[in-house]
Amino acid sequence: LPGALRGALADTIAAAVTALTPELFAFAQRLVRTPSLPGDEEGAHRIVAAKLQSLGLDTRIISATAEELNTHPAFCDDGIPVERRINVVGRLRGAATRNGARDAARSLILNGHLDVVSPGNEALWDASPWSGIIRDGRLYGRGSCDMKSGLTAGIFAIETLQRLGLALDGDVLLESVSGEESGGVGTLTTIVNGYRASAAIVLEPTSLRLGLVQAGALTFRVRIAGRAVHACMKNQGVSAIEKVCRVIAGLNELERARHVTYSNPLYEDPNNVAPISIGTIHGGAWHSTVPDDVVLEGRFGVLPGESIPAAQQAFADALRRVADDDPWLRDHPPAFEWFEGQFESGQTNADEPVVGALCGAHKAITGATPVLQGVTYGSDLRLFTNHADMPAILYGPGDVLKAHTVNEFIELDEVVQATKVLALMMCGWCGVAERR
Ligand SMILES: [Zn+2]
């Protein structure tokens, strides 16, 4: 859009969103009050589907077959039957599509997941994790930040355009998906069902920064053998716990070395792009026995642009170097396996037109130049960039530090800002067809 028109439109949109805030807050609150733990997302999806239908979107409830997913290279099985993982896709049909010129205008996917992580020990929460309490401009509850409010912003951005009678040229697809936290089954389902657009915005809590790059993450298990003897004869045995210390030192050295060779200005902390972290250690049988068996589990960060096989090879090489340095480990090398989540990295170029479109809308609404960043966590961005051949951006209200925590909350002002930015961005990106 030309600058002057964008300015006028920004004001119009901002006023319309402000008028809608009571309904916007109530909708986000209703979603938070509807628990949607992995495998149990259906109730929340039904609320979204009804809302999209009421806005006149062509709304479908979709799932994928186990066969479609099992054969897909990006499928991460979280053990929950795929038939239970419904997803909602609502299509706001643009004028160009209605006239049969499907490729004539740019289209956009707004994507958000409805699954939430467990609230953990509910006794630690000030109120129920499903309270949806609004206090001092904040909405509280599991999923308020990650990421039911982001999804709500996307839905109400569409409603705002409709209230203003602004029809778009290109299509907008609102995708409400399951299973993001445990591998991305929902977004993958939309992809195998053929849903595509010129670009995607994944409405994760980024504090309204644009996330263009994400690291990947692999889950590993390492088993180290020792030789058990009575502790009083320690020197006759081999402590698997002491050998584990060598393995951990080797992995820390690998983490350091990988960050020395990798550099990407989008990351705030150059030493924390793709961390390697040990999450569990189990070993030993008795305090006075030299331990002969220890099992480590952890997370191995995949650098942006690095393939999963290359990351796995780096890990295997590091373990071999540790073993080569120790006579016992040389003869009894650590055994390892990859299990559960194996998430690729993903990236979108900063010079993609959709990045400029979103930056322009952000600046017009907030007055500030947006921050571009890389994130260290996994997300559905990678599925769009790697398996749907689409540029994708993480952008949404909420601070990721408030996600997955006790007393999770979101600042509602930021949800309102996001709604305004998304509405304006859709106008610029998809084109405004006519005033109805
Ligand atoms: Zn999330």
Side-chain angles (χ1 to χ4, degrees):
L1 292 180
L5 180 53
R6 191 163 63 200
L9 196 55
D11 292 344
T12 307
I13 283 173
V17 171
T18 302
L20 267 175
T21 52
E23 286 140 281
L24 189 159
F25 295 169
F27 189 83
Q29 187 173 46
R30 195 167 161 221
L31 285 183
V32 172
R33 287 176 171 168
T34 308
S36 49
L37 293 165
D40 196 21
E41 297 106 337
E42 179 165 351
H45 281 307
R46 297 280 171 199
I47 292 171
V48 171
K51 175 73 180 172
L52 297 181
Q53 229 142 17
S54 80
L55 295 176
L57 271 64
D58 176 1
T59 304
R60 307 275 163 97
I61 291 184
I62 63 163
S63 57
T65 63
E67 195 176 27
E68 280 172 310
L69 294 179
N70 282 332
T71 55
H72 197 288
F75 179 53
C76 297
D77 192 355
D78 61 8
I80 300 170
V82 297
E83 303 75 41
R84 272 167 57 192
R85 315 312 282 282
I86 66 159
N87 308 274
V88 180
V89 180
R91 184 186 294 272
L92 177 68
R93 224 165 258 293
T97 319
R98 282 201 303 274
N99 299 334
R102 176 173 281 274
D103 298 327
R106 289 185 296 204
S107 53
L108 183 69
I109 285 174
L110 298 176
N111 172 290
H113 66 84
L114 276 182
D115 56 306
V116 297
V117 298
S118 161
N121 181 359
E122 296 194 21
L124 297 176
W125 289 65
D126 293 341
S128 159
W130 319 110
S131 73
I133 287 172
I134 293 178
R135 192 190 303 129
D136 301 328
R138 294 171 170 179
L139 168 63
Y140 286 85
R142 176 58 84 231
S144 57
C145 174
D146 187 12
M147 53 170 286
K148 290 175 170 177
S149 299
L151 190 64
T152 299
I155 294 168
F156 277 75
I158 292 171
E159 180 160 4
T160 300
L161 300 187
Q162 295 194 318
R163 295 268 178 124
L164 290 170
L166 289 166
L168 301 178
D169 261 330
D171 287 7
V172 173
L173 285 85
L174 191 295
E175 298 182 347
S176 167
V177 300
S178 294
E180 188 273 347
E181 299 285 1
S182 49
V185 63
T187 294
L188 194 59
T189 294
T190 68
I191 290 171
V192 301
N193 274 274
Y195 289 98
R196 296 287 187 281
S198 315
I201 298 176
V202 182
L203 304 162
E204 290 282 0
T206 63
S207 301
L208 303 184
R209 296 180 186 149
L210 279 72
L212 303 185
V213 180
Q214 62 148 96
L218 313 176
T219 315
F220 64 81
R221 180 180 291 130
V222 179
R223 180 159 226 140
I224 292 116
R227 183 162 60 222
V229 291
H230 192 298
C232 71
M233 300 298 285
K234 177 183 163 184
N235 288 347
Q236 303 294 310
V238 175
S239 166
I241 287 178
E242 287 177 10
K243 298 305 176 193
V244 156
C245 294
R246 289 175 171 270
V247 170
I248 293 174
L251 291 178
N252 283 340
E253 170 54 25
L254 175 65
E255 180 192 54
R256 194 197 61 76
R258 279 161 65 80
H259 285 83
V260 167
T261 50
Y262 181 82
S263 120
N264 185 330
L266 291 176
Y267 281 88
E268 239 171 8
D269 180 350
N271 296 314
N272 192 62
V273 174
I276 304 170
S277 176
I278 308 295
T280 70
I281 297 186
H282 293 283
W286 177 243
H287 48 70
S288 294
T289 298
V290 171
D292 64 353
D293 184 41
V294 176
V295 176
L296 295 179
E297 290 176 352
R299 173 212 197 260
F300 188 88
V302 182
L303 292 163
E306 182 181 41
S307 72
I308 287 181
Q312 291 175 333
Q313 189 62 49
F315 180 84
D317 290 347
L319 286 187
R320 211 194 41 248
R321 283 194 297 273
V322 170
D324 284 349
D325 271 356
D326 181 275
W328 171 264
L329 289 177
R330 211 177 298 137
D331 293 340
H332 305 82
F336 66 93
E337 61 179 325
W338 303 100
F339 71 108
E340 290 182 7
Q342 305 293 313
F343 305 138
E344 297 170 324
S345 59
Q347 48 193 344
T348 292
N349 266 332
D351 57 9
E352 283 284 348
V354 69
V355 176
L358 186 53
C359 283
H362 178 99
K363 181 143 201 225
I365 294 292
T366 67
T369 304
V371 175
L372 308 183
Q373 68 176 10
V375 303
T376 55
Y377 52 82
S379 78
D380 281 353
L381 176 143
R382 74 188 191 280
L383 298 173
F384 289 109
T385 60
N386 302 0
H387 299 283
D389 198 22
M390 290 167 51
I393 304 172
L394 302 169
Y395 181 86
D399 182 344
V400 71
L401 284 173
K402 301 292 181 299
H404 299 205
T405 56
V406 168
N407 297 326
E408 177 179 344
F409 71 85
I410 191 160
E411 301 283 354
L412 286 167
D413 270 353
E414 223 174 277
V415 186
V416 172
Q417 288 288 75
T419 307
K420 293 173 181 173
V421 172
L422 292 170
L424 183 62
M425 189 273 176
M426 286 191 278
C427 292
W429 179 251
C430 300
V432 178
E434 80 247 23
R435 276 190 97 91
R436 264 187 246 143

